[in-house]
Amino acid sequence: MRWFDLQKTLNARRLALEVMHEDENGTIADAVAVNAHCHMLRSDTVASGIIKIEMVNAKGEYKHVVPGSELFKLVTGGQHLFGAVTHVIFRVVPNKLLEYSAKKVLLHEYDKYFKEMKSDKTIVSHQLELSIDPYNLFHAGIAINYREKKTNPVISKLDESKSKTNRDTMLENLAKSSKV
């Protein structure tokens, strides 16, 4: 199952994953297999949001794997070497409305920016996308922050037909128009 499909199912119930990998077109099993990172500032990797994994090992044995067990540590990040993940149970939370903001940050100033941004408890998610401005390649980045808007749980507008997110389009436009 793809992340998008899980998002869509949860969204209809006004729920969201507590921790989620950013690639909505990727599969859940692949994200578990590499223990993918997420951009939630106060979360860790995909494994930190898992309650239980069900899998089949190379001997054909069906296994229930829980956080804290040795097998859990091996399966989350084990590149599918320890078996095929067949089912994952994640922690879910009420779906929150997030709004994003973007700011160009010079890379030599990013450390200071990140420390200031991380101390802002209203920011729940952050990432830095390196600028692809051909005149100043990797000289700056676009810092993207998501803040929670105080609302009741929401149903988001998810559009499967869009292969790019609004953030991706925004980054491309900023990169095309920027000269840092």
Side-chain angles (χ1 to χ4, degrees), residues 21-58:
H21 180 46
E22 73 172 58
D23 180 10
E24 63 186 23
N25 290 314
T27 68
I28 293 167
D30 285 345
V32 170
V34 298
N35 197 13
H37 72 285
C38 68
H39 295 290
M40 305 305 287
L41 276 178
R42 287 143 193 93
S43 298
D44 193 10
T45 61
V46 167
S48 67
I50 294 174
I51 295 171
K52 181 174 83 171
I53 297 171
E54 296 176 7
M55 60 171 286
V56 177
N57 67 17

Side-chain angles (χ1 to χ4, degrees), residues 20 27 31 46 51 60 80 96 99 110 150-151 164 166 175 180:
M20 191 182 128
T27 68
V46 167
I51 295 171
H80 302 289
K96 298 173 184 173
E99 61 183 357
Y110 181 68
K150 298 296 181 193
T151 63
K164 292 182 181 177
N166 289 336
V180 178

Side-chain angles (χ1 to χ4, degrees), residues 128-172:
L128 178 75
E129 299 285 344
L130 290 174
S131 173
I132 55 172
D133 176 0
Y135 301 103
N136 288 298
L137 194 61
F138 306 135
H139 178 70
I142 308 299
I144 302 166
N145 297 316
Y146 290 86
R147 288 181 167 80
E148 178 183 341
K149 289 188 80 167
K150 298 296 181 193
T151 63
N152 291 326
V154 296
I155 294 179
S156 301
K157 295 177 183 174
L158 300 177
D159 185 353
E160 188 171 14
S161 66
K162 291 183 178 177
S163 61
K164 292 182 181 177
T165 64
N166 289 336
R167 177 187 59 82
D168 293 332
T169 303
M170 175 198 64
L171 288 172
E172 287 177 7

Side-chain angles (χ1 to χ4, degrees), residues 88-151:
V88 182
I89 298 174
F90 290 98
R91 279 191 297 281
V92 295
V93 296
N95 199 12
K96 298 173 184 173
L97 182 61
L98 301 178
E99 61 183 357
Y100 70 86
S101 61
K103 178 181 178 178
K104 186 178 294 182
V105 179
L106 298 175
L107 290 187
H108 70 274
E109 297 172 352
Y110 181 68
D111 185 51
K112 179 182 175 194
Y113 173 83
F114 183 79
K115 288 175 184 170
E116 291 171 4
M117 177 276 311
K118 194 168 182 183
S119 68
D120 182 345
K121 300 301 179 197
T122 67
I123 297 174
V124 296
S125 179
H126 168 79
Q127 65 192 72
L128 178 75
E129 299 285 344
L130 290 174
S131 173
I132 55 172
D133 176 0
Y135 301 103
N136 288 298
L137 194 61
F138 306 135
H139 178 70
I142 308 299
I144 302 166
N145 297 316
Y146 290 86
R147 288 181 167 80
E148 178 183 341
K149 289 188 80 167
K150 298 296 181 193
T151 63

